[in-house]
Amino acid sequence: MKSTLYRAWLQYSPVQDAELREAYRRVLGTIVLEGRQSELLDSAIEELRSGCRSLLDIEPELLLLGNEMPQLASNEGISSGLQLRVQPAADNVQDLEEGDNSAPGKLGPEGFRLQYLGDSLQERVILIGGSEKGLLYGVFHLLRLVAAHEPLTAWNVTEEPVNRLRMINQWDNADGSIERGYAGRSIFYRNGRFTNDLTRVKDYARLLSSVGINAISINNVNVHEIETRFITREYLPQVAQIASVFRKYGITLYLSINFAAPLHIGGVGTSDPLNEDVRRWWRAAADEIYSHIPDFGGFLVKADSEHRPGPFAYGRDHADGANMLAEALEPHGGIVIWRCFVYNCMQDWRDRSTDRAKAAYDHFTPLDGRFMDNVLLQIKNGPMDFQVREPVSPLFGSMKHTNQVLEFQVTQEYTGQQRHVCYLVPQWKDVLDFDTHAGGQGSYVKRIVSGSLHSMKLSGIAAVSNIGDDENWTGHTLAQANLYGYGRLIWNPDLTSEEIAEEWTRQTFGNDEAVIKTVCGMLMKSWPIYESYTSPLGVGWMVTPHTHYGPDVDGYEYSRWGTYHFADRDGIGVDRTAATGTGYTAQYFEPNARRYETLEDCPDELLLFFHHVPYSHRLKSGKTVIQHIYDTHFEGADAAAALLAEWASLEGRVDPAQHAQVAARLAEQAEHAKHWRDVINTYFFRKSGVPDEKGRTIF
Ligand code: GCW
């Protein structure tokens, strides 16, 4: 029996309420499946059966009505039960536009319709998938409703994912380590080899599929020596095995590649993207990959970024590099996902004219329109690097002729490393709901990445995973909510953070209303709390270099990374205005550019990202900057301690193993928050000499 920690949100805890259980048993006792047998349907049935066994303690009777039994092709005679059906492919709506209701009867290939039909004589639930994959998503949704104790009469939903590409990126290395991983070692690799036991990979596929993820890249974007060879005959049989595990759950496999592979392992002597031998080498590599994995997704590429090789070495640009790979993959239907995390990581801190925040826009906007149709640019949510608070990257909306993917970070590199609780869905929602004004008012990021604003050929959302081989997958059990929430949010960006938190809590901890209220409350305030005792007002980077954990205010101040706060005795912040600063604000469309440019209009939470101000500057809140720093740090550390107390009140109401795990982490967070508080407050008190109005202890 798998532990509660391991089962995450797929607990399928027994429904205790007798009446409800009976109602579910009546309709789930018989499952009628119309359709041909397929891997995806097998997964759907397997999930349904194990779900019913565990939730309802029943072994549903399965009737197959398919090509095997054409004489039973109608459903007459079946009085009650669950009827599963796949819509004929000819009826699929291929490119379902956002909010398109023109074809109410038809589903997109990943959509499903779940309907309860009950009267006094018979009770049926019909689940129709737009394809086998849609049906699988529908099964997970149905089980979610049972786990949340939703009454049958409320089972009437039609769902379509809003985003086409819904991807997770593993930063796993072949040696078993995970770059920026905070939950143990890799579940894919150990000591330079693929793991033999794929049980865990399968359970990961189930978790991902249950929230609608449909793509995965399985190795770090920093591609080292062994991983460079993943695209060769030597490793492809093993990659293919992993691909087949994910395929059964509707997830397409991708690999991160090394741009210099032709040079390093191909014996070509160059990796120049315009060299004919190099192009031939990549075409052959693609042919080889597809002979092992016919539905291989494509390549994820970090090039000319943080010392990774790329086209610059040959005087070529990103479009040359990406198109060369795209050309090799195109005959097979593969795509290239090219990352925009490109900046000068060898900057001189004395150089005040270079601004890292501007780099991605400056590199990529001139290339708009030059990328092939099967290339997507993957853009981090902010212009810097997954800080607790950043503005939205100005690249969104600025390339109308280029496919775009938004990149989030589920792993909590700068947000407490899964030792602190930090529910990130509200942060991601801020990004998705940001109005870029690229095509006038209402040009939200979510409409750009769903492809509806500029009608892109391909688009979507990707994120760096937060899992490892820790028993509970994510180190902190509450961090499971981020992986769950990521999938649910990108399926439907209009879900609220609260709705997602509640769904997750019910499935993970059960339906005790006191537990739900407390856990959801804790999740919802966790990001503001984390922000309050760490870097203030959007300035970022006050972390220990390299590990990125814990406070070090000047850790990055005199470094090469382009990450400065410029605190002195008078003030703090980065002047990124067009008038007197780096000019970054001008990368936004109006009215955003003016809003950020103008000190009075710039939102408080981003003030120090855009402006250098004296400590005496008054925020919209009425407080001075320095008093804001003191207040938030004192309050933040208190709030972290309060989280621990709230959680303690749930002892006996949640599973003991889960309770103990979270309690231990919250205790650590409360201690560490005090450390953050004192380091930050002391630093600014010493710099500014301004005492705390409330006379609290500062060292
Ligand atoms: O966030 C930074 C990380 C690196 C990472 C890089 C990237 C995989 O500190 O560890 O490398 O970004 O996104 O490429």
Side-chain angles (χ1 to χ4, degrees):
M1 182 72 174
K2 294 163 186 166
S3 74
T4 48
L5 290 171
Y6 183 89
R7 291 205 302 269
W9 58 85
L10 297 179
Q11 298 284 332
Y12 298 153
S13 309
V15 177
Q16 303 292 355
D17 180 304
E19 208 176 308
L20 201 55
R21 188 174 56 225
E22 267 326 297
Y24 291 143
R25 281 178 176 175
R26 272 201 307 278
V27 291
L28 298 177
T30 312
I31 301 171
V32 185
L33 174 64
E34 292 180 40
R36 284 167 211 247
Q37 209 118 27
S38 75
E39 277 186 337
L40 285 166
L41 288 186
D42 287 349
S43 301
I45 296 296
E46 186 185 323
E47 202 63 30
L48 205 44
R49 284 186 140 163
S50 66
C52 285
R53 213 174 289 137
S54 169
L55 285 154
L56 305 169
D57 194 22
I58 55 169
E59 200 57 64
E61 182 188 6
L62 181 64
L63 302 176
L64 293 174
L65 303 186
N67 291 358
E68 303 81 21
M69 307 171 75
Q71 72 278 19
L72 279 183
S74 90
N75 54 34
E76 284 158 32
I78 293 154
S79 57
S80 57
L82 169 66
Q83 206 176 313
L84 305 177
R85 200 188 305 156
V86 175
Q87 175 184 274
D91 287 352
N92 280 355
V93 183
Q94 279 310 328
D95 273 309
L96 226 101
E97 290 292 315
E98 189 189 13
D100 181 356
N101 291 321
S102 59
K106 307 212 167 161
L107 295 161
E110 296 188 301
F112 62 85
R113 181 171 307 118
L114 177 67
Q115 217 175 353
Y116 168 75
L117 300 169
D119 58 39
S120 51
L121 295 176
Q122 59 169 0
E123 269 191 318
R124 283 188 299 156
V125 169
I126 301 187
L127 175 59
I128 304 174
S131 69
E132 276 84 3
K133 197 165 159 191
L135 193 71
L136 175 63
Y137 291 146
V139 162
F140 278 117
H141 194 84
L142 180 158
L143 292 167
R144 184 151 54 228
L145 296 179
V146 176
H149 297 184
E150 280 287 331
L152 285 168
T153 46
W155 289 21
N156 191 353
V157 285
T158 302
E159 290 267 339
E160 295 282 351
V162 170
N163 293 292
R164 285 167 289 191
L165 184 71
R166 302 180 302 280
M167 188 168 195
I168 199 88
N169 298 158
Q170 300 301 133
W171 282 359
D172 297 36
N173 300 314
D175 65 5
S177 65
I178 302 174
E179 183 151 350
R180 310 306 176 188
Y182 310 105
R185 309 279 293 173
S186 174
I187 64 164
F188 295 93
Y189 320 104
R190 182 154 308 177
N191 303 326
R193 296 169 190 278
F194 281 79
T195 46
N196 300 323
D197 182 2
L198 296 182
T199 316
R200 191 118 200 197
V201 174
K202 177 182 168 187
D203 282 325
Y204 187 39
R206 293 176 56 234
L207 287 171
L208 294 178
S209 182
S210 75
V211 292
I213 302 285
N214 64 4
I216 186 169
S217 56
I218 59 163
N219 62 305
N220 188 359
V221 289
N222 292 325
V223 182
H224 308 293
E225 228 173 286
I226 295 176
E227 300 87 340
T228 300
R229 298 177 185 276
F230 280 6
I231 55 172
T232 67
R233 213 170 293 168
E234 192 184 343
Y235 285 95
L236 280 169
Q238 294 163 75
V239 178
Q241 271 195 326
I242 306 270
S244 70
V245 175
F246 283 111
R247 182 181 301 114
K248 295 191 178 85
Y249 290 88
I251 301 168
T252 304
L253 186 131
Y254 292 69
L255 289 172
S256 299
I257 57 103
N258 179 349
F259 193 82
L263 178 69
H264 291 316
I265 61 169
V268 181
T270 171
S271 292
D272 181 351
L274 299 190
N275 177 292
E276 214 14 75
D277 293 336
V278 171
R279 298 174 87 86
R280 200 174 307 120
W281 189 86
W282 279 110
R283 280 198 298 271
D287 293 347
E288 181 74 37
I289 295 169
Y290 281 90
S291 74
H292 292 264
I293 310 166
D295 59 350
F296 179 70
F299 298 148
L300 175 61
V301 193
K302 174 174 178 175
D304 285 316
S305 163
E306 300 185 330
H307 310 293
R308 306 315 298 166
F312 287 178
Y314 307 97
R316 316 298 183 194
D317 63 27
H318 292 285
D320 297 327
N323 289 343
M324 180 259 308
L325 297 170
E327 196 187 274
L329 294 170
E330 194 201 45
H332 308 281
I335 63 174
V336 173
I337 305 175
W338 190 274
R339 296 177 82 234
C340 295
F341 186 57
V342 178
Y343 66 98
N344 177 5
C345 65
M346 296 295 283
Q347 195 181 323
D348 186 332
W349 60 271
R350 302 169 194 86
D351 162 21
R352 296 293 296 260
S353 64
T354 305
D355 180 4
R356 169 166 165 184
K358 291 171 72 180
Y361 181 101
D362 286 345
H363 277 290
F364 286 94
T365 48
L367 303 176
D368 188 26
R370 281 202 36 221
F371 294 96
M372 281 173 62
D373 281 352
N374 60 331
V375 175
L376 297 96
L377 296 190
Q378 183 162 312
I379 306 163
K380 288 192 183 186
N381 60 262
M384 297 297 277
D385 191 12
F386 302 134
Q387 300 300 291
V388 65
R389 176 77 68 172
E390 280 187 50
V392 170
S393 169
L395 266 182
F396 293 110
S398 67
M399 292 179 293
K400 298 190 171 57
H401 309 286
T402 305
N403 299 323
Q404 299 187 15
V405 191
L406 163 62
E407 179 176 335
F408 286 132
Q409 196 184 42
V410 186
T411 192
Q412 291 172 236
E413 177 178 0
Y414 293 97
T415 51
Q417 305 199 351
Q418 286 138 251
R419 313 204 73 81
H420 296 232
V421 54
C422 192
Y423 177 55
L424 290 165
V425 174
Q427 187 200 57
W428 301 331
K429 268 196 85 75
D430 281 359
V431 174
L432 292 166
D433 290 341
F434 179 75
D435 192 347
T436 64
H437 290 270
Q441 201 168 356
S443 303
Y444 305 110
V445 169
K446 64 184 169 193
R447 294 191 57 215
I448 293 167
V449 296
S450 72
S452 74
L453 190 67
H454 298 140
S455 57
M456 296 174 196
K457 290 250 164 28
L458 287 163
S459 60
I461 305 184
V464 185
S465 178
N466 65 346
I467 69 111
D469 71 353
D470 276 3
E471 188 179 0
N472 69 353
W473 300 90
T474 53
H476 201 311
T477 296
L478 297 183
Q480 293 172 356
N482 283 331
L483 186 60
Y484 178 87
Y486 167 67
R488 294 290 290 143
L489 181 67
I490 67 170
W491 175 278
N492 177 9
D494 289 329
L495 288 173
T496 67
S497 304
E498 290 86 350
E499 281 168 334
I500 293 173
E502 181 173 336
E503 280 185 5
W504 175 79
T505 307
R506 286 185 186 278
Q507 291 167 76
T508 306
F509 295 120
N511 290 282
D512 176 340
E513 294 304 323
V515 173
I516 290 155
K517 192 157 174 275
T518 304
V519 174
C520 290
M522 290 172 65
L523 289 175
M524 287 306 299
K525 58 192 163 197
S526 61
W527 174 44
I529 290 175
Y530 187 78
E531 179 177 27
S532 68
Y533 59 75
T534 56
S535 306
L537 301 166
V539 73
W541 297 106
M542 296 180 179
V543 290
T544 307
H546 206 61
T547 66
H548 300 167
Y549 191 68
D552 185 347
V553 183
D554 283 338
Y556 276 108
E557 196 57 16
Y558 308 99
S559 74
R560 297 195 158 276
W561 297 94
T563 46
Y564 316 115
H565 54 66
F566 302 117
D568 60 20
R569 64 177 185 174
D570 301 317
I572 177 174
V574 190
D575 185 352
R576 292 194 162 101
T577 62
T580 55
T582 68
Y584 168 74
T585 56
Q587 293 186 343
Y588 290 92
F589 293 92
E590 291 297 359
N592 292 328
R594 210 170 23 239
R595 185 159 143 258
Y596 292 139
E597 174 84 8
T598 315
L599 188 57
E600 296 71 44
D601 294 345
C602 184
D604 279 355
E605 71 270 14
L606 288 170
L607 183 76
L608 303 182
F609 193 93
F610 287 105
H611 296 274
H612 185 90
V613 298
Y615 294 115
S616 58
H617 174 82
R618 257 182 218 284
L619 298 169
K620 293 194 179 47
S621 69
K623 288 184 188 183
T624 60
V625 165
I626 191 74
Q627 195 56 40
H628 171 92
I629 293 175
Y630 296 148
D631 286 351
T632 50
H633 285 76
F634 283 114
E635 286 158 14
D638 289 351
L643 288 176
L644 178 61
E646 278 189 74
W647 183 255
S649 77
L650 298 182
E651 193 165 2
R653 286 179 173 265
V654 305
D655 168 79
Q658 287 174 322
H659 192 273
Q661 203 285 327
V662 173
R665 293 277 153 129
L666 290 173
E668 186 180 338
Q669 175 178 358
E671 265 316 298
H672 201 228
K674 285 195 254 171
H675 181 58
W676 265 103
R677 173 195 68 194
D678 293 335
V679 170
I680 299 287
N681 282 344
T682 301
Y683 177 94
F684 285 103
F685 175 60
R686 290 182 187 173
K687 274 262 155 158
S688 70
V690 181
D692 171 32
E693 277 171 7
K694 298 180 187 153
R696 291 162 290 196
T697 307
I698 298 179
F699 298 89

